[in-house]
Amino acid sequence: MPTTLARPRATVAAPLTSYTQAFMDLRGGMNNSLSDEVIADNETPLAMNYIPDIFSGMLIKREGVTRYLATQQAEAFTGIYDGVTGNYFSTSTKIKLFDDTSIASGLTTSTDPAWASMNGWDIYTDGINNVQKLNGVTTGALGGSPPKFKDVIEFKQMLFGIGHDGGSMRWTDQFTTETWNSGREYVFSDNSDNDGVGFGKYRDSLIVFLQREFHQIQASSHLDVNVVYSNWEEGTTSHRSIVSTPYGVFFWTQNGLAMTDGQDVQYPMLMKLPDTLADLNRAKDSLVHGVWNPTKRRVQYYLFNNTSQTENLAVYYYPVSGAFWVEDGAGTQMGASGRVKISGATDVYLGSASTNGYLYQNTGDTDDGVAIAAYWETKRFSTEFGPVAVKRSRDVALLFETDTDITLTLYVYYDNSTFYNDSWSIVISGVSGFTLDVDQLDVGVLGGSSESKEESVNINQKFTKMKFRVSDGTTSRSKIRGLVARGLLVAA
């Protein structure tokens, strides 16, 4: 007899069946490459000035900026460098120490210098002025009459330079910074639109970037410098965008942020933030700069948004999770970024792009006293019943930690609305808790750490789809644990 196949049975939930939609982990970061209905539950279609707290697993406002040097500068910052003879910053015509002592002044105006260290010297170049060597007290022209390189780097006890003559790279004899033999040269390209740009290091290789290509170099001496791999797929727009990390070398391209191990190229920003990339002022790509933040395990890039002529947007990328976060405000209007070790701790320092700005440490709850306006959104969800079923919302709960008083605004979007339909102001009193596992009690407050808290808003609204937005304009950095929405099925 023929086999009879049983029909699959569909189970339809009965009206008044409850639902719970939880967004407990938004650390997947921003994704505007897809509809806000189909991104992952742990991603956000739009956010500003939030980052993942890698120590607690929650979301938190980005760090602000705090003045490191009280003296206001009269020129925009162009570079920050952790040297062997001192911590330096440069403006358009000056080189100074972090205590504001001037090492060099009267340089021809530059906008994107480069630094290196070798043989007890710190070396500065900008493609316009003669290459300088610094010892923490004075500066002078580097010996050997090197060209006016755009970028320099130490590799295998040789000093390499590029950007002085099309696609040509030069290097010194080994163990010296001032012997520039004319035979130590490699010409990668003679195309006028494919000049040398800069260098990056990854593991045991030097990566040489041109405008349209890059090459992996290995060497044992000045007589043994070899190109072991070439990639003609991509180059870089800016030498200050080349950031070496334990996860590869990151650099800025015509397709946004890219990463390479010296051979393959990945475009994480093109995959996750194409809308953000499309809104940038691409005419300013040559001045994009970035820095590796070792404590937060992320790269930070400072960009020009829309028609801006000054850096006014930052993109943070976390290589381990693949998450992007976008930042704006005064703490991103920076002309220079650098990683500097002070008192044994390595941190990120930033220099204002303004001609009357300051040297900042990338830390604190505010942007030099100005509150950081931040927000994030959930995906547009339809619950497990699907996007056609009619639901009725009951309440939404915000879960967070704070030890200061804050005011949040909760917005809700129903169905396909692109403008919020309802909003609520939520005033939250900070809670300080007692932390066990301490030797003694603090004076005044027991422990002093924040505690978990939940605030609920009652919502009585029919919907098929819904999304939420949380906005925080206070001066604190409260931590968001998640958002939970609850309700009932009305009709399947």
Side-chain angles (χ1 to χ4, degrees):
M1 295 181 63
T3 301
T4 301
L5 299 177
R7 289 184 178 182
R9 294 185 177 182
T11 301
V12 178
L16 301 184
T17 301
S18 63
Y19 73 82
T20 299
Q21 181 71 38
F23 298 94
M24 301 301 293
D25 178 10
L26 289 170
R27 291 181 299 155
M30 278 185 62
N31 185 347
N32 56 34
S33 68
L34 300 169
S35 163
D36 61 3
E37 293 184 44
V38 298
I39 61 175
D41 285 352
N42 73 336
E43 293 179 326
T44 170
L46 187 62
M48 192 67 70
N49 292 324
Y50 271 99
I51 55 174
D53 182 5
I54 63 175
F55 303 108
S56 69
M58 292 178 266
L59 289 188
I60 189 172
K61 270 192 194 178
R62 68 162 171 83
E63 305 89 349
V65 293
T66 302
R67 290 183 195 179
Y68 179 81
L69 190 62
T71 306
Q72 189 177 41
Q73 302 300 308
E75 298 175 341
F77 285 74
T78 58
I80 293 174
Y81 185 63
D82 183 13
V84 298
T85 63
N87 297 320
Y88 299 95
F89 68 85
S90 58
T91 61
S92 56
T93 65
K94 300 179 177 66
I95 302 174
K96 292 187 173 184
L97 293 172
F98 262 39
D99 64 2
D100 205 34
T101 300
S102 180
I103 300 295
S105 60
L107 300 174
T108 301
T109 301
S110 67
T111 55
D112 55 345
W115 299 79
S117 295
M118 183 176 165
N119 289 357
W121 291 98
D122 293 312
I123 298 162
Y124 166 98
T125 190
D126 56 23
I128 300 173
N129 299 278
N130 290 327
V131 181
Q132 303 288 304
K133 61 179 182 180
L134 303 88
N135 62 6
V137 180
T138 61
T139 184
L142 186 67
S145 301
K148 296 177 180 179
F149 297 117
K150 292 180 180 178
D151 197 15
V152 290
I153 196 170
E154 180 276 329
F155 180 64
K156 298 296 181 69
Q157 282 296 298
M158 293 171 279
L159 188 63
F160 285 74
I162 201 168
H164 60 291
D165 183 18
S168 174
M169 175 185 75
R170 293 191 61 188
W171 63 94
T172 63
D173 284 2
Q174 198 168 26
F175 309 118
T176 177
T177 60
E178 299 183 298
T179 302
W180 295 92
N181 189 303
S182 60
R184 316 277 185 252
E185 183 177 26
Y186 195 103
V187 180
F188 295 99
S189 171
D190 57 6
N191 294 335
S192 60
D193 62 347
N194 192 25
D195 290 345
V197 182
F199 302 104
K201 288 182 185 178
Y202 185 59
R203 295 179 178 169
D204 196 41
S205 296
L206 177 66
I207 304 176
V208 183
F209 290 90
L210 278 68
Q211 291 174 289
R212 297 177 178 271
E213 62 197 60
F214 66 84
H215 306 268
Q216 185 180 8
I217 304 295
Q218 292 183 353
S220 60
S221 74
H222 57 263
L223 300 176
D224 183 30
V225 176
N226 300 296
V227 178
V228 298
Y229 184 85
S230 296
N231 187 307
W232 289 276
E233 176 184 355
E234 190 63 271
T236 187
T237 64
S238 164
H239 73 81
R240 290 197 301 154
S241 78
I242 303 170
V243 179
S244 298
T245 81
Y247 305 97
V249 176
F250 292 86
F251 55 106
W252 195 255
T253 76
Q254 59 185 351
N255 294 308
L257 182 63
M259 187 274 287
T260 182
D261 58 0
Q263 298 183 7
D264 296 328
V265 181
Q266 300 177 28
Y267 299 94
M269 188 174 179
L270 190 61
M271 298 296 292
K272 284 292 187 77
L273 299 182
D275 288 355
T276 304
L277 183 61
D279 286 341
L280 298 180
N281 181 359
R282 309 311 300 275
K284 291 290 186 178
D285 275 0
S286 64
L287 296 179
V288 168
H289 58 92
V291 61
W292 169 245
N293 190 321
T295 304
K296 309 300 182 183
R297 310 303 288 179
R298 70 185 182 223
V299 286
Q300 303 176 194
Y301 274 84
Y302 295 86
L303 314 172
F304 299 77
N305 192 25
N306 208 345
T307 60
S308 174
Q309 299 299 303
T310 301
E311 296 91 329
N312 65 345
L313 194 74
V315 169
Y316 293 175
Y317 179 63
Y318 294 77
V320 173
S321 65
F324 277 99
W325 295 89
V326 178
E327 329 293 343
D328 69 0
T332 67
Q333 297 169 12
M334 298 294 149
S337 55
R339 194 172 69 246
V340 175
K341 180 182 287 188
I342 296 176
S343 301
T346 299
D347 207 345
V348 169
Y349 291 81
L350 304 168
S352 174
S354 170
T355 55
N356 56 354
Y358 294 88
L359 176 65
Y360 295 107
Q361 187 175 3
N362 193 187
T363 187
D365 295 342
T366 65
D367 281 344
D368 197 7
V370 178
I372 300 170
Y375 57 84
W376 54 268
E377 294 182 357
T378 67
K379 69 179 294 183
R380 194 181 302 268
F381 67 93
S382 56
T383 78
E384 68 270 26
F385 306 126
V388 178
V390 179
K391 283 80 64 174
R392 182 175 291 277
S393 59
R394 293 172 54 191
D395 64 81
V396 59
L398 277 174
L399 292 79
F400 52 87
E401 288 187 4
T402 181
D403 54 7
T404 59
D405 296 345
I406 60 174
T407 300
L408 302 178
T409 304
L410 174 67
Y411 303 89
V412 60
Y413 302 72
Y414 301 127
D415 300 332
N416 294 312
S417 175
T418 58
F419 190 79
Y420 71 88
N421 301 101
D422 287 312
S423 66
W424 294 265
S425 180
I426 303 174
V427 180
I428 301 164
S429 298
V431 179
S432 292
F434 172 56
T435 304
L436 298 177
D437 194 28
V438 294
D439 295 329
Q440 61 184 7
L441 301 182
D442 291 341
V443 177
V445 178
L446 295 180
S449 66
S450 59
E451 279 194 348
S452 300
K453 198 171 182 180
E454 177 179 329
E455 288 288 336
S456 297
V457 172
N458 293 321
I459 304 175
N460 183 18
Q461 175 70 36
K462 285 185 178 181
F463 73 98
T464 57
K465 293 176 284 188
M466 181 185 291
K467 76 172 182 177
F468 298 99
R469 176 185 178 115
V470 176
S471 177
D472 179 0
T474 62
T475 57
S476 64
R477 296 183 69 208
S478 58
K479 298 178 182 178
I480 300 294
R481 299 174 61 86
L483 181 150
V484 180
R486 291 177 283 257
L488 303 171
L489 173 67
V490 175

